[in-house]
Amino acid sequence: MNWTDERVELLRKLWSEGLSASQIAAQLGGVSRNAVIGKVHRLKLSGRGRATASPARQKKAVQGSSVQKSVSRAASTQRHVTTSIGANALQVQFDAEPVARHYIRPVENVVVPISRHLQLVELTERTCKWPNGDPLSEDFNFCGNDAAETGPYCKYHARVAFQPAAERRRSR
DNA sequence: CCCTGATTCGC
DNA sequence: GCGAATCAGG
């Protein structure tokens, strides 16, 4: 893969939107996150307006002497565009209690827990691959929550997908 | 261990 | 210029 103008443009866009290097690499396809980072540096695009996904505050090894001006804003518009795009950390704790007491709700009526709405290209070996929505629809996505290494789904979806025969019987 | 970006350096 | 390897860190 080579860096065509189009790809560079997309890289610039996604990077400025705060997506991580690995996510950008996934969307561009054909490149590793290292390639993306390397390119970003060569383009001198480092340092984004404080929109690093979950990682941490990278200490900048003073490059020149940039001073943050503290502007005293009146009670006017103090919007500081902090658009947070991408799959940001949003840990969800599923209630996987084996409570199957009275009756099991049919899969169709189960409310899907908070998903990360990942695109196909963003799935990894440990993200839940439970699909949400119509594959032909624009907003089709995957759960994306942690799926451990025991299977293709997160704890919640694993239960929905692999219902014991006994439970399925009872729920009918 | 998972992930993040930063840097180096052979190609 | 490119990006894998490596480093530093949460």
Side-chain angles (χ1 to χ4, degrees), chain A residues 28-144:
Chain A
L28 285 173
V31 290
S32 66
R33 79 181 191 89
N34 271 325
V36 170
I37 291 175
K39 187 60 180 176
V40 164
H41 282 213
R42 267 171 255 121
L43 290 172
K44 298 182 176 63
L45 294 178
S46 272
R48 287 174 290 189
R50 296 277 179 279
T52 314
S54 51
R57 307 265 146 262
Q58 215 60 50
K59 297 180 201 292
K60 296 307 186 211
V62 187
Q63 58 173 140
S65 59
S66 55
V67 179
Q68 284 296 318
K69 300 171 187 172
S70 58
V71 182
S72 56
R73 303 183 191 63
S76 55
T77 50
Q78 49 183 327
R79 276 204 171 295
H80 195 291
V81 188
T82 311
T83 310
S84 187
I85 301 178
N88 286 330
L90 101 78
Q91 274 300 334
V92 180
Q93 198 66 29
F94 298 116
D95 179 84
E97 265 304 304
V99 254
R101 285 305 96 73
H102 312 299
Y103 51 83
I104 305 294
R105 291 179 180 64
V107 175
E108 297 75 50
N109 295 330
V110 174
V111 175
V112 178
I114 303 174
S115 296
R116 294 173 69 199
H117 297 238
L118 299 186
Q119 300 301 301
L120 178 59
V121 292
E122 301 176 309
L123 295 175
T124 71
E125 295 183 327
R126 40 196 318 296
T127 54
C128 178
K129 299 166 188 60
W130 185 269
N132 289 320
D134 184 345
L136 298 179
S137 176
E138 202 59 47
D139 62 322
F140 176 63
N141 63 71
F142 293 89
C143 171

